[in-house]
């Protein structure tokens, strides 16, 4: 029988080591993401989030942090998870194909100067690749939180944050932490410079 105490210690030590590596090696990329998010919100733009599976849940979670709050009371910030409208998702998948479920929404809702944040552990999901291409053509900024080397998405976005792991669960844990860091930065910036 597995020893849960040993397993938890090992798992948390591994997560801590990965977080330390990310902090030491990806600070520039995380800062760039934060500046894109801050500038987008300050200019009256919107943050659009998307991903598949667990990454869809991360996208939804982070959009909520902007609209409601992360840690401090402040005005709501314009953010939208493209993973939550079942009617749009299923109609798009049925009529246009699953590859278009996010690109169609980016085309309909995105405006020049908005920011599209793509969550992917592989960087190879065709629906995210299509969304990134649509966003670029429409004049949106793009950030991708990735792992496993970044896949094709790495070279398609303005900022690629590639977590150095092949484990999807570890990547998602770090992606969510990065998302919280950036949201906290935006939140503090808004509170320091209220409209």
């Amino acid at each position: 029988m597995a020893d849960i105490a040993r397993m938890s210690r090992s798992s948390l030590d591994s997560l801590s080591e990965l977080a330390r590596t990310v902090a030491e090696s990806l600070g520039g990329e995380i800062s760039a993401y934060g500046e894109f998010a801050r500038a987008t919100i300050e200019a009256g733009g919107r943050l659009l989030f998307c991903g598949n599976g667990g990454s869809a849940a991360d996208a939804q979670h982070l959009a909520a942090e902007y609209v409601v709050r992360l840690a401090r009371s402040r005005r709501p910030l314009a953010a939208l998870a493209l993973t939550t409208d079942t009617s749009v998702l299923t109609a798009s998948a049925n009529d246009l194909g699953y590859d278009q479920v996010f690109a169609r929404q980016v085309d309909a809702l995105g405006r020049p100067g908005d920011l599209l944040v793509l969550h992917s552990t592989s960087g190879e999901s065709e629906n995210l690749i299509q969304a990134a291409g649509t966003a670029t053509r429409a004049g949106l900024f793009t950030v991708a939180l990735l792992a496993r080397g970044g896949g094709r998405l790495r070279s398609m976005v303005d900022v690629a944050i590639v977590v150095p792991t092949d484990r999807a669960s570890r990547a998602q844990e770090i992606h969510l932490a990065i998302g919280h860091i950036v949201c906290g930065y935006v939140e503090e910036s808004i509170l320091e410079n209220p409209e």
Side-chain angles (χ1 to χ4, degrees), residues 35-52:
E35 289 306 319
F36 272 128
R38 181 196 55 75
T40 298
I41 292 295
E42 286 183 356
R46 289 176 288 195
L47 308 180
L48 308 177
F49 293 87
C50 59
N52 294 293

Side-chain angles (χ1 to χ4, degrees), residues 16-107:
S16 175
E17 183 178 326
L18 181 59
R20 188 175 304 105
T21 298
V22 168
E24 292 169 356
S25 64
L26 294 173
E29 290 85 348
I30 295 168
S31 294
Y33 173 18
E35 289 306 319
F36 272 128
R38 181 196 55 75
T40 298
I41 292 295
E42 286 183 356
R46 289 176 288 195
L47 308 180
L48 308 177
F49 293 87
C50 59
N52 294 293
S55 295
D58 290 345
Q60 185 174 335
H61 178 138
L62 289 166
E65 304 286 27
Y66 285 91
V67 173
V68 181
R69 69 178 185 170
L70 176 67
R72 304 212 10 223
S73 295
R74 40 93 176 146
R75 66 180 172 87
L77 305 177
L80 180 66
L82 305 180
T83 56
T84 59
D85 189 329
T86 55
S87 295
V88 169
L89 291 170
T90 56
S92 182
N94 187 65
D95 296 352
L96 305 173
Y98 193 69
D99 292 352
Q100 294 299 310
V101 295
F102 300 131
R104 188 70 167 185
Q105 293 182 79
V106 169
D107 199 23

Side-chain angles (χ1 to χ4, degrees), residues 95-168:
D95 296 352
L96 305 173
Y98 193 69
D99 292 352
Q100 294 299 310
V101 295
F102 300 131
R104 188 70 167 185
Q105 293 182 79
V106 169
D107 199 23
L109 303 170
R111 299 291 178 264
D114 286 349
L115 173 62
L116 176 65
V117 182
L118 305 115
H119 286 251
S120 177
T121 58
S122 71
E124 293 292 336
S125 299
E126 192 60 36
N127 57 7
L128 298 176
I129 289 166
Q130 293 297 321
T134 298
T136 298
R137 289 188 296 277
L140 281 72
F141 301 115
T142 53
V143 170
L145 293 120
L146 305 163
R148 298 179 187 163
R152 289 181 288 165
L153 268 177
R154 181 180 196 151
S155 64
M156 296 182 66
V157 296
D158 296 308
V159 178
I161 301 173
V162 184
V163 175
T165 184
D166 290 335
R167 288 184 57 188

